Amino acid sequence: MKAKGLLTQFTTNHPKLPAFFKAASSQIGEGSIIEISVTTAEGKNLCTNMKVRPEDMQLVEELKNLSK
């Protein structure tokens, strides 16, 4: 219940993010590369990426279903 309220507040504060995830999730497939980058308030950049493997696809499909 608390997490739902926090998620609602987060999406209110950042309305473009859920739309991005919805659009991106329909494009993710085997061989896709997912990259995450964070820039701290001090300007430090942290970045990582992963290539989606066949064994990742079940989780990707479950995550797609969460946004429906």
Side-chain angles (χ1 to χ4, degrees):
M1 199 70 150
K2 183 177 180 179
K4 173 106 171 105
L6 292 171
L7 182 58
T8 299
Q9 182 64 45
F10 185 84
T11 57
T12 298
N13 291 340
H14 309 283
K16 292 181 182 179
L17 197 58
F20 170 78
F21 283 136
K22 185 175 182 179
S25 70
S26 68
Q27 302 297 311
I28 296 172
E30 185 180 327
S32 295
I33 296 179
I34 299 172
E35 184 171 281
I36 300 171
S37 177
V38 175
T39 303
T40 68
E42 295 79 28
K44 183 178 179 182
N45 191 337
L46 305 163
C47 185
T48 190
N49 64 53
M50 62 168 270
K51 187 173 188 177
V52 178
R53 301 184 300 186
E55 56 267 34
D56 299 325
M57 289 309 300
Q58 183 176 0
L59 176 60
V60 169
E61 290 303 318
E62 288 298 320
L63 292 173
K64 285 180 187 178
N65 292 332
L66 287 177
S67 65
K68 291 181 181 178

